[in-house]
């Protein structure tokens, strides 16, 4: 089965279970062309974590007709950001949280590789790393 070039997995470390239903947005950096301008992250894709806490279909297959039409193929040296809307997840489970969202910014070194971004969350903390 084809898989998105970027995938993620969210686990709730306070319950030891996957975190389903978290809205995920992938963005691509558009750097400012002047020293006074602001860098902007443009929306590229969106998804929701499944019952296993995974989002496996953020982007279409590299080089596919859909990827070409939507200009979603990854670019070497390009900066991306993945945003997880965690507040809604914690509210659905009747818990308060300190972080309404988690933003992870990263650079694509080799667009031929797969990038997996695991996120471990709890109401008052989170951690991440590059997975495989």
């Amino acid at each position: 089965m084809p898989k998105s070039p970027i995938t993620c997995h969210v686990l709730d470390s306070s319950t030891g279970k996957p975190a389903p239903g978290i809205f995920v947005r992938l963005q691509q950096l558009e750097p400012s062309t002047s020293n006074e301008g602001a860098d902007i992250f443009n929306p590229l894709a969106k998804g929701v974590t499944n019952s296993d806490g995974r989002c496996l279909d953020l982007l279409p297959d590299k080089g596919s007709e859909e990827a070409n039409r939507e200009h979603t193929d990854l670019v070497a040296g390009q900066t991306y950001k993945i945003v997880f809307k965690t507040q809604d997840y914690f509210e659905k489970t009747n818990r308060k949280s300190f972080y309404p969202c988690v933003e992870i910014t990263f650079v694509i070194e080799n667009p031929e590789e797969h990038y997996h971004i695991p996120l471990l969350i709890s109401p008052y903390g989170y951690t991440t790393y590059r997975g495989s």
Side-chain angles (χ1 to χ4, degrees):
M1 179 177 143
K3 175 165 58 170
S4 171
I6 295 177
T7 57
C8 61
H9 189 192
V10 184
L11 297 169
D12 185 336
S13 60
S14 65
T15 64
K17 296 181 179 178
I22 293 183
F23 180 78
V24 179
R25 181 174 299 278
L26 180 65
Q27 303 173 338
Q28 184 175 18
L29 177 66
E30 180 183 322
S32 170
T33 56
S34 73
N35 290 338
E36 297 176 14
D39 291 341
I40 298 170
F41 279 92
N42 293 311
L44 187 62
K46 62 184 176 183
V48 177
T49 58
N50 63 20
S51 61
D52 194 35
R54 297 177 186 273
C55 190
L56 304 174
D57 57 359
L58 274 175
L59 295 172
D61 284 349
K62 179 184 180 340
S64 68
E65 186 177 308
E66 183 181 0
N68 292 333
R69 184 177 60 249
E70 296 179 11
H71 306 288
T72 59
D73 280 343
L74 302 179
V75 178
Q78 179 67 50
T79 301
Y80 296 84
K81 176 168 51 175
I82 192 164
V83 180
F84 300 88
K85 301 286 188 161
T86 55
Q87 184 172 8
D88 291 342
Y89 166 77
F90 286 115
E91 286 177 353
K92 286 179 194 172
T93 58
N94 297 315
R95 295 181 286 167
K96 293 182 181 180
S97 67
F98 185 68
Y99 301 103
C101 64
V102 174
E103 298 183 2
I104 302 167
T105 305
F106 57 97
V107 175
I108 296 296
E109 293 178 13
N110 180 352
E112 301 302 317
E113 293 180 0
H114 174 252
Y115 289 82
H116 183 64
I117 303 166
L119 175 65
L120 291 99
I121 59 172
S122 69
Y124 296 97
Y126 65 90
T127 189
T128 187
Y129 56 94
R130 180 175 175 192
S132 58

